[in-house]
């Protein structure tokens, strides 16, 4: 289970980086960028809080 969580965290971080690149290259608009990163960063915060509680 721990490995799956680590994989999801890495994928989320990569997805955020990819969204940043798309935004810089003007492939996506600011609203889309904010929506993507807000959801992914929220997921990462949830995982960190879960690790702290365990």
């Amino acid at each position: 289970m721990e490995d799956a969580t680590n994989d999801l965290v890495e994928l989320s971080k990569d997805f955020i980086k990819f969204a940043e690149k798309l935004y810089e290259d003007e492939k996506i608009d600011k609203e889309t960028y904010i929506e993507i990163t807000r959801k992914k960063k929220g997921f990462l915060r949830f995982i960190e809080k879960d690790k702290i509680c365990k």
Side-chain angles (χ1 to χ4, degrees):
M1 181 71 173
E2 186 82 19
D3 291 337
T5 302
N6 288 336
D7 289 344
L8 287 173
V9 168
E10 289 304 314
L11 282 172
S12 293
K13 289 178 181 178
D14 290 343
F15 200 82
I16 291 170
K17 289 177 188 174
F18 183 63
E20 288 172 355
K21 181 166 176 23
L22 288 175
Y23 179 67
E24 289 171 0
D25 293 344
E26 298 178 0
K27 302 288 184 182
I28 58 175
D29 61 8
K30 188 174 184 174
E31 290 178 27
T32 304
Y33 168 74
I34 290 170
E35 188 69 23
I36 291 169
T37 56
R38 183 175 53 88
K39 288 181 180 181
K40 293 299 177 186
K41 288 178 181 178
F43 171 74
L44 293 174
R45 280 191 297 274
F46 173 78
I47 294 296
E48 288 301 316
K49 287 180 183 178
D50 188 52
K51 285 182 182 178
I52 292 170
C53 292
K54 287 186 177 181

